[in-house]
Amino acid sequence: MSAIARFEIHHSQFLDEHGKIVQPLPEFARDPQNLVALYRAMVLMRAYDTKAIALQRTGQIGTYASLLGQEAINAGIGSAMAKDDVFLMTYRENGVQIMRGVAMRELFLYWSGDERGSDFAVPRRDLPICITIAAHATHAVGVAYAMKLKREPRVAVCALGDGATSKGDFYEAINAAGTWQLPAVFVVTNNQWAISVPRAMQSAAQTLAQKAIAAGIEGVQVDGNDVIAVRHAMQQALDKARAGGGPTLIEALSYRLSDHTTADDATRYRSADEVTEAWKREPVLRLRNHLTACGAWDKAQEEALVKACNEQVQAAVQAYLATPPPTVEQMFDHLYATLPAALQRQRAQALGDFRSLSGPSPINS
């Protein structure tokens, strides 16, 4: 017997958990100001996230999925993508959306259950948040196929969680992307937990990146708490896809520091010690330590940034709260080009009930 194929998965890290450099930095990271820009974006994400949880706890938005601990992955994706690329996301990439121009007011609308929050002003071609696990992976293939047919120098970037890699949609997507050599990048955030199921119980694979091998595409793993590693891997994958080199799967190792959503209680299935250890590796402090050590950041700048971010978020909250509520007919008006008769009757009934609680029901008259 002889081996006919051999495969390797490479792991990349530039900053350790203390913010110390462990290998030569890529070119963009040699300029501290580039890293300061990433740090500012990450601090804004955390301020937004903190406020969103506060809004949910006070009944001002609905169930919310925190991105706490995953700011480096969000910043790495958002900073590397080009304006005309298309982003397909789950519910934990609001940070990428903010970096791509989605207004926080729109995101608060979305989390309040108002679908006008999905009709963001920019970027118009990015798809709305996908709640159905892994379904948007196949959508990404369709988007990337259209880009290839049109010979456009754009890339479809699909962000997923580790649990999504256990779904059939994910395998179908990466298989098709590899077969057709599509301009696509799949970023798997391995935050160690798919709701209450730990990574070890999801797959016997040593890495999630190696799932790319069966699809015939490149798979790499990065330290997802190191924004430099995420940004560098994203740039390489995007450049390759844009040049016709096909898709890449990036596994970003991180940890979900929050509950799965505000409807979850993670203390029921994971230990406090585990979370405490994870906080020692969190991305914001790591980058701040690095910037401080190289003289690019200080206490005064930190205080000014935190104040500015909190003010920006609060302004978005006020704009959200000042937005008039949606009208009742909006439940019906965006379903069909021509509303079926049965739904026309329901629409009329809803409008009648909304305007007056008395009188016979049109649907039963």
Side-chain angles (χ1 to χ4, degrees):
M1 235 182 347
S2 60
I4 59 170
R6 290 183 175 86
F7 306 97
E8 289 184 332
I9 298 297
H10 296 280
H11 175 85
S12 178
Q13 180 192 59
F14 294 93
L15 299 179
D16 68 13
E17 63 186 73
H18 306 293
K20 295 181 179 178
I21 300 172
V22 296
Q23 66 166 315
L25 297 178
E27 184 175 353
F28 81 91
R30 295 171 196 163
D31 182 351
Q33 292 311 306
N34 289 335
L35 300 183
V36 167
L38 291 173
Y39 180 72
R40 288 181 178 277
M42 292 164 65
V43 173
L44 178 61
M45 292 175 202
R46 186 160 290 187
Y48 157 81
D49 191 72
T50 300
K51 178 57 72 173
I53 293 173
L55 290 173
Q56 191 281 328
R57 297 308 191 202
T58 54
Q60 295 178 89
I61 63 172
T63 300
Y64 171 74
S66 172
L67 58 84
L68 185 64
Q70 298 176 197
E71 295 88 353
I73 298 172
N74 276 252
I77 296 172
S79 62
M81 289 181 67
K83 177 182 177 181
D84 290 335
D85 292 336
V86 174
F87 188 48
L88 300 95
M89 73 220 79
T90 72
Y91 37 76
R92 222 179 294 278
E93 286 83 36
N94 285 175
V96 180
Q97 291 181 282
I98 292 170
M99 292 186 74
R100 287 182 58 73
V102 178
M104 284 184 279
R105 180 191 70 86
E106 294 171 323
L107 294 175
F108 290 138
L109 281 171
Y110 168 81
W111 290 112
S112 74
D114 189 333
E115 281 303 324
R116 290 177 297 175
S118 296
D119 186 23
F120 25 82
V122 291
R124 293 297 293 171
R125 291 191 176 185
D126 283 7
L127 272 66
I129 292 170
C130 182
I131 298 296
T132 310
I133 304 301
H136 63 306
T138 52
H139 303 163
V141 167
V143 171
Y145 199 95
M147 292 171 175
K148 183 170 183 176
L149 284 177
K150 294 180 178 181
R151 299 181 181 177
E152 297 173 337
R154 302 193 295 142
V155 182
V157 176
C158 179
L160 312 98
D162 46 281
T165 66
S166 298
K167 295 291 296 294
D169 313 58
F170 169 77
Y171 290 100
E172 293 162 10
I174 62 172
N175 183 70
T179 301
W180 295 325
Q181 285 293 283
L182 299 181
V185 178
F186 299 90
V187 185
V188 175
T189 296
N190 180 358
N191 65 17
Q192 312 306 319
W193 290 93
I195 308 183
S196 59
V197 181
R199 159 69 177 88
M201 293 181 65
Q202 295 178 49
S203 173
Q206 185 176 351
T207 69
L208 299 181
Q210 73 196 62
K211 295 190 176 188
I213 295 171
I217 67 177
E218 181 182 7
V220 299
Q221 185 188 82
V222 300
D223 183 342
N225 290 336
D226 174 4
V227 69
I228 298 175
V230 180
R231 171 70 168 74
H232 182 59
M234 278 297 303
Q235 194 62 65
Q236 288 185 317
L238 288 165
D239 289 347
K240 184 184 75 172
R242 232 181 288 283
T248 303
L249 171 61
I250 301 172
E251 177 189 5
L253 296 177
S254 186
Y255 191 86
R256 194 192 77 212
L257 292 172
S258 65
D259 296 326
H260 178 69
T261 69
T262 51
D264 176 42
D265 178 7
T267 63
R268 298 175 61 187
Y269 53 81
R270 65 184 188 186
S271 70
D273 289 343
E274 178 181 321
V275 179
T276 298
E277 284 300 308
W279 269 104
K280 296 177 182 178
R281 301 185 297 273
E282 67 101 344
V284 176
L285 178 60
R286 180 182 304 200
L287 184 55
R288 182 165 71 240
N289 285 342
H290 171 70
L291 292 172
T292 301
C294 67
W297 200 249
D298 58 30
K299 182 179 179 181
Q301 289 172 297
E302 180 69 18
E303 292 174 350
L305 174 61
V306 171
K307 181 176 183 292
C309 288
N310 288 335
E311 289 174 350
Q312 184 177 345
V313 172
Q314 189 57 39
V317 171
Q318 294 305 316
Y320 154 64
L321 294 175
T323 303
T327 57
V328 66
E329 62 266 27
Q330 288 186 17
M331 289 190 292
F332 304 92
D333 289 350
H334 305 292
L335 291 174
Y336 298 91
T338 302
L339 198 64
L343 290 181
Q344 289 180 23
R345 292 193 296 270
Q346 290 183 30
R347 184 181 186 277
Q349 180 185 15
L351 283 170
D353 289 346
F354 182 75
R355 292 168 181 162
S356 173
L357 297 178
S358 62
S361 169
I363 201 169
N364 296 321
S365 58

